[in-house]
Amino acid sequence: PTASLLIWAYLVATISDQCAITRARAAAVEQLGWHAARLAYLAPPASAEAAALVESVRYLADVVAAAHAIRSLMEPTFASAQLGQRARWDALILRVPELRALLNEHHARWAGNIDFPPLELAEIDAFLRALVDRPGVIWQQARAACLLVAQMRGARRPGHYTYAAGFVTAGALAVALTRRSRRTAGVVGVLLSLLLAKPLRERTLKLALPWLSHRLYLLPSIFFETGPSLNEWMA
């Protein structure tokens, strides 16, 4: 459950039939929910093993339903940004409170469960709040991300430098389009300048990209919390 503008922009750019994908996903969620309810009905009441299995399937169904709800809002929203349909974007934002309520229910349902913890939703929830509070700003950032992804997908010069510079360029575009503070614009300018110096490029990205990403929703927060290093992601 990420708020990364680039991830959503890229995902939307690769989907050929949004309506068909959404229908298929909704059908899968409904079927999984039916199986979870059926399993709970058939499970022996006195069996601890059966109870654990029932809970695990209920958890799976709830996680998949939450993921479906997130995608069902984010995908058409970014498709609107990709096509430049601001009126549709504004209409979709009206569904944000409903999605946030559903995600809060998911968190409350599984909070404190060590075996089946709730999804990490802080990143997406912060983005949803910003979507309501600053719809015009996020619209411009999403538009910039969609344009950048379109250029990157059509580029014929793959490589580490182009890949790294692309993410930072997304930040620069977002800053320019949203008219953020001079301080932020200055940081982006310095960052882009340092990227031109090969010895400093790796260290600059490592230090500045998490800060920039958090403010402009460039990359999933998990990129900077766990798993492979930034160099491995870039590779």
Side-chain angles (χ1 to χ4, degrees):
T2 180
S4 168
L5 299 173
L6 292 171
I7 296 295
W8 287 110
Y10 184 81
L11 180 61
V12 166
T14 61
I15 296 176
S16 58
D17 191 337
Q18 181 68 62
C19 292
I21 289 291
T22 302
R23 286 195 301 269
R25 192 171 62 237
V29 169
E30 182 179 1
Q31 185 177 28
L32 182 55
W34 181 90
H35 278 294
R38 180 66 173 169
L39 185 63
Y41 175 77
L42 295 174
S47 171
E49 291 83 0
L53 178 60
V54 167
E55 185 180 34
S56 69
V57 176
R58 283 182 55 245
Y59 176 73
L60 175 61
D62 200 52
V63 166
V64 172
H68 168 60
I70 293 172
R71 290 187 61 175
S72 295
L73 177 63
M74 296 291 280
E75 286 176 6
T77 299
F78 274 80
S80 300
Q82 183 185 50
L83 299 173
Q85 298 173 340
R86 179 58 191 271
R88 185 176 179 229
W89 168 280
D90 291 336
L92 287 165
I93 290 176
L94 298 177
R95 293 165 46 189
V96 168
E98 180 183 351
L99 174 58
R100 290 191 66 202
L102 185 149
L103 297 181
N104 286 336
E105 290 174 5
H106 165 81
H107 186 273
R109 192 175 296 122
W110 301 102
N113 192 320
I114 299 176
D115 297 319
F116 305 108
L119 289 171
E120 175 52 60
L121 299 170
E123 179 185 335
I124 188 67
D125 189 62
F127 178 80
L128 292 173
R129 290 199 307 271
L131 197 56
V132 172
D133 296 338
R134 298 179 287 123
V137 171
I138 305 300
W139 160 260
Q140 291 174 331
Q141 292 179 349
R143 286 283 290 159
C146 289
L147 291 172
L148 178 62
V149 165
Q151 292 177 0
M152 292 175 69
R153 293 189 73 211
R156 300 184 181 278
R157 294 186 301 167
H160 298 280
Y161 180 81
T162 302
Y163 189 66
F167 284 122
V168 180
T169 302
L173 284 172
V175 169
L177 288 172
T178 56
R179 299 179 182 179
R180 285 188 172 252
S181 68
R182 292 183 179 179
R183 178 189 174 194
T184 305
V187 170
V188 174
V190 171
L191 183 57
L192 288 171
S193 299
L194 290 174
L195 281 174
L196 299 177
K198 186 176 180 180
L200 297 176
R201 189 159 59 232
E202 179 180 325
R203 183 170 180 79
T204 301
L205 283 172
K206 183 177 180 180
L207 295 176
L209 192 54
W211 179 89
L212 191 63
S213 181
H214 176 71
R215 285 156 180 79
L216 299 176
Y217 304 106
L218 296 181
L219 297 171
S221 58
I222 195 174
F223 276 37
F224 310 107
E225 295 172 359
T226 185
S229 67
L230 181 60
N231 291 339
E232 291 175 286
W233 282 115
M234 290 167 57

